[in-house]
Amino acid sequence: MFLSGVFGIVIGIILGLTGAGGGILAVPALVIGLGWSVTASTPVALFAVSAAATVGAVDGLRKGLVRYRAAMLMALLGAVFSPLGVYFAHSLPNAVLISLFSLVMVIVALRMIGQVRGGQAVITQAKPQWQEKNCMLNPESGRLRWTMKCSATLALVGSVSGLLTGMLGVGGGFLIVPAFQHFSDIRMHGIVATSLMAIALISAIAVTGAIHAGAHITATGGVFIAASVSGMLVGRFLAPSIPAKAIQLGFAILCMVIASYLMLKTWM
C-alpha cells in the first residue's frame, strides 16, 4: 500500500511536468514496482490518467482553451475502438503486451529527443506550410473549419488513441498532442487543453470497458490513483520553474530506460 502511494505520487508529478503524455509511465510503475500484469495494471493506470486529465481539462474549459467539439469527436471514436483494445489486452499474452508497450515508449522517447534536438528550427520550418494543415481555424471566428478532411483526421486520431488506450492503458496524449500540432494551426495551449479533455473521456470509457470485461480496482489501486492526482498538482506547480527541454530530455531518457528494462525482464 505504501509503495503504491509512493509510485502514484511520482507518476503524478511526472504527469504534471510533462502533460498527459506522462501517463505512459503509469503502467510500468505498476508492472515493475508492484509486480502486476499489464492487464491488471491497465484499468488502474487509466483511472489515474483520466482523473489527472480531468483536472487539466476543467482548467482549460474555464480559460476557454478547449476545442470541445474536436475533443468530443475524438472521444466518440475512442469509445468505439477502446473495447476492441480491451479485447486484445485480454487475448494477447502478457509478454506480447509488454513488448508492444515498450515499443510505444521507445517511439515516444525518440519523438521527444527529436523535439529537443530540433528546437526552434522545427517551428520555423513548419510555418510556411500552414496552408497545408488538415484542420484550420477561421481567422474571423477563431473556430475550427469543419471540413471533411478535418473531421476524418480527428476521427482517425481518436480511433487509434482509443485502441491503444484500451489495449495498453496509455492515455493517448503522446499521440493526440503531436497529431494536433501536425494537422492543425491551433496554438499549443489549446492543443494541450483539448487533448486533456479527449484523454479524460477516452480513458474513462476504457476504464468502464475494462471493468465490464472483468477487471477490478483494488484498495492498493485506489491509493495509487489518489496519490497520482495529488502528485499531478505538485507537478503542475513545479513545471514553470523547470526548463521545458530539460523535462522533455529527462522524460525521454526515463522512457528508454524503462522500456529496455521491461524487454530484458520479459525475454531474458
Side-chain angles (χ1 to χ4, degrees), residues 44-198:
V44 175
L46 284 175
F47 204 120
V49 171
S50 179
T54 298
V55 174
V58 169
D59 184 57
L61 284 168
R62 184 177 60 83
K63 295 177 180 177
L65 296 172
V66 177
R67 305 285 170 176
Y68 60 90
R69 284 190 293 180
M72 292 295 290
L73 175 60
M74 289 188 289
L76 177 63
L77 270 296
V80 173
F81 282 88
S82 64
L84 182 61
V86 172
Y87 171 78
F88 284 141
H90 286 81
S91 302
L92 295 173
N94 193 58
V96 174
L97 290 174
I98 289 179
S99 299
L100 290 173
F101 196 97
S102 299
L103 177 61
V104 170
M105 293 190 75
V106 170
I107 293 172
V108 171
L110 292 176
R111 182 180 67 83
M112 284 201 164
I113 291 172
Q115 287 179 338
V116 172
R117 292 181 62 184
Q120 188 63 35
V122 175
I123 300 175
T124 304
Q125 292 171 3
K127 285 184 179 178
Q129 301 176 2
W130 65 272
Q131 291 179 321
E132 301 176 12
K133 302 287 188 179
N134 290 19
C135 295
M136 299 291 295
L137 294 175
N138 187 321
E140 296 180 1
S141 65
R143 296 184 177 182
L144 274 178
R145 290 173 173 167
W146 282 93
T147 63
M148 284 296 295
K149 183 185 290 186
C150 181
S151 299
T153 299
L154 295 178
L156 178 61
V157 172
S159 300
V160 177
S161 179
L163 180 67
L164 292 177
T165 297
M167 184 165 61
L168 302 177
V170 295
F174 71 92
L175 173 67
I176 295 175
V177 170
F180 252 121
Q181 284 180 291
H182 184 75
F183 291 114
S184 81
D185 61 343
I186 301 174
R187 292 178 179 270
M188 193 61 192
H189 289 301
I191 289 173
V192 172
T194 303
S195 173
L196 285 171
M197 180 175 176

Side-chain angles (χ1 to χ4, degrees), residues 193-261:
T194 303
S195 173
L196 285 171
M197 180 175 176
I199 291 161
L201 293 171
I202 293 173
S203 299
I205 293 166
V207 169
T208 304
I211 292 175
H212 181 73
H216 64 282
I217 297 174
T218 62
T220 303
V223 170
F224 179 87
I225 293 166
S228 66
V229 174
S230 301
M232 187 274 300
L233 296 174
V234 175
R236 286 174 66 87
F237 175 77
L238 295 175
S241 61
I242 303 175
K245 284 189 176 181
I247 293 174
Q248 286 184 312
L249 186 58
F251 181 75
I253 292 172
L254 185 59
C255 282
M256 293 291 282
V257 170
I258 292 176
S260 299
Y261 176 81

